[in-house]
Amino acid sequence: MTSATAPSPSARLELADPPRRKPKVGFGDLVALTMRQHRLALGCTVLLYVLFGLLIQLTQGEASIGYWRFDPKDYAAALAGVIAMFWGAPLLATEYEQRTTVLVWSQDVSPVRWLLAKLTLLSGAVVVLSSLMALLVRSQAAEEYSRSPSPYSPLGVFGSVGYEAWLPLSLAYAVFGFLFGVAVGALFRRTVTAIGVTLVGFGAIRFLVAYVLRPWLVNNLITPVRQTWSMSTWITPDPHAATGAGPRDFLVNSQIWLDHTGKVVYIPDACYSVTGIKPFGNCMMANGVAATGEDYQPFSRLVIFQSVELAVYVVLIVVCLGVALWSVRRKASI
């Protein structure tokens, strides 16, 4: 090729721009994807929280239908159950069932990072909603609504609205429900099955903690305070005698009998049929009963029992999170 036949510089084709590298998927992209995937569940749950909040606000925890009463102490558990079934359980189960993990986990986002982004966003929403509900229950529920000092009433343990409405504990209920559902979905990988197992499992754990563990803690974690009175005050009440448990304390034993050594004894057989305060008191003294009394946990110890229960839920939360991450890692490596 001579200089006469060579193409001029102006006639040369311009080279195409070098290919640009695809930007790495950032956390914001994962948040946007999560919002798009779960917007229906988020919207319905927010609406449900608003309706429950309006119910508490308008009735101050005293609404009733026949013999059934809307109880503020049930709101935290019920809403945590809703989050467990409809947020947590389908999170991984639906992905496994529809096999969208094959596409999602083949991109440049690791399965663990993908899951952590989802959990971070949804857990944040759970914390916000549960915080608002707990604060609303504490501010609006009637104080006299739960004065019954029963260890089997989650709010009545210390006779005030506050045991389960304690903010850290309310958050633990909701976050545990969410992560428990995620862990169940990761193990069963079928949406309907995961929802059913989550409902049963979450309800069982809540029952065991509220009606087995909590009464045991209140009765055995710390030795109750014992207040005693001599049998003479039973016969003739002394206005200057020490008072027992207050309306916000929890009665462990409402009536105990003690001999002269302070040992707890039963009512003698001879006194069972005795009627009248004075005859009964004289009979008890004649049969070796020197004093009567009661055991109770002061209201000031409430936060101790709440903190122990909170620690139990924190352990359960860590276990559920570990199960979910382990399942994702294992599935991705197969």
Side-chain angles (χ1 to χ4, degrees):
M1 179 182 295
T2 64
S3 59
T5 60
S8 62
S10 60
R12 294 175 184 171
L13 294 176
E14 295 184 359
L15 293 176
D17 294 334
R20 288 183 296 178
R21 198 171 205 177
K22 174 180 166 293
K24 187 176 181 180
V25 176
F27 183 76
D29 300 314
L30 294 174
V31 169
L33 175 63
T34 303
M35 288 293 295
R36 186 176 181 83
Q37 283 185 302
H38 303 281
R39 60 185 182 275
L40 180 60
L42 284 167
C44 292
T45 307
V46 170
L47 178 61
L48 184 62
Y49 265 74
V50 170
L51 293 177
F52 271 100
L54 289 175
L55 180 65
I56 298 172
Q57 178 74 27
L58 296 176
T59 66
Q60 294 189 342
E62 296 181 337
S64 61
I65 299 178
Y67 293 102
W68 184 59
R69 197 172 191 178
F70 291 99
D71 197 336
K73 71 180 175 59
D74 296 330
Y75 294 163
L79 294 174
V82 169
I83 289 173
M85 290 189 295
F86 300 110
W87 286 30
L91 185 69
L92 284 173
T94 302
E95 300 281 358
Y96 284 133
E97 194 172 41
Q98 297 178 353
R99 296 188 61 80
T100 50
T101 54
V102 176
L103 172 64
V104 174
W105 294 350
S106 64
Q107 308 302 310
D108 58 355
V109 179
S110 69
V112 172
R113 183 165 170 254
W114 171 86
L115 178 60
L116 288 177
K118 283 179 171 287
L119 295 182
T120 300
L121 176 65
L122 296 176
S123 296
V126 168
V127 168
V128 172
L129 291 173
S130 301
S131 299
L132 294 175
M133 182 57 63
L135 295 174
L136 185 60
V137 169
R138 289 184 66 90
S139 64
Q140 295 297 328
E143 179 70 18
E144 65 273 10
Y145 188 68
S146 58
R147 287 190 178 277
S148 174
S150 166
Y152 301 105
S153 173
L155 283 180
V157 173
F158 287 97
S160 69
V161 175
Y163 196 102
E164 292 198 352
W166 186 47
L167 184 57
L169 206 50
S170 293
L171 298 183
Y173 295 152
V175 174
F176 164 69
F178 172 60
L179 291 178
F180 178 74
V182 173
V184 170
L187 294 175
F188 288 88
R189 302 182 184 179
R190 291 292 183 270
T191 304
V192 175
T193 303
I195 291 176
V197 173
T198 298
L199 174 61
V200 175
F202 179 76
I205 293 173
R206 285 278 301 145
F207 179 86
L208 290 174
V209 172
Y211 299 113
V212 177
L213 177 63
R214 188 181 302 163
W216 184 88
L217 290 174
V218 172
N219 285 274
N220 299 281
L221 182 64
I222 306 176
T223 302
V225 174
R226 173 166 293 177
Q227 182 64 55
T228 61
W229 303 269
S230 67
M231 288 304 301
S232 60
T233 61
W234 175 277
I235 299 172
T236 305
D238 182 3
H240 302 292
T243 57
R248 305 182 75 184
D249 299 327
F250 170 63
L251 281 170
V252 176
N253 295 305
S254 59
Q255 189 77 71
I256 58 175
W257 310 100
L258 303 100
D259 61 16
H260 293 281
T261 64
K263 181 182 177 181
V264 176
V265 296
Y266 296 102
I267 299 177
D269 294 337
C271 301
Y272 269 112
S273 59
V274 177
T275 59
I277 295 178
K278 187 172 181 178
F280 178 78
N282 288 328
C283 177
M284 295 287 280
M285 294 175 66
N287 285 272
V289 179
T292 182
E294 61 186 22
D295 295 335
Y296 66 94
Q297 295 287 5
F299 179 76
S300 58
R301 295 180 179 177
L302 173 62
V303 69
I304 299 176
F305 300 107
Q306 289 173 320
S307 299
V308 173
E309 188 170 322
L310 175 63
V312 171
Y313 276 104
V314 169
V315 172
L316 292 174
I317 287 170
V318 172
V319 170
C320 291
L321 180 60
V323 169
L325 293 175
W326 168 81
S327 173
V328 168
R329 285 177 182 270
R330 181 173 176 272
K331 181 67 176 178
S333 62
I334 294 177

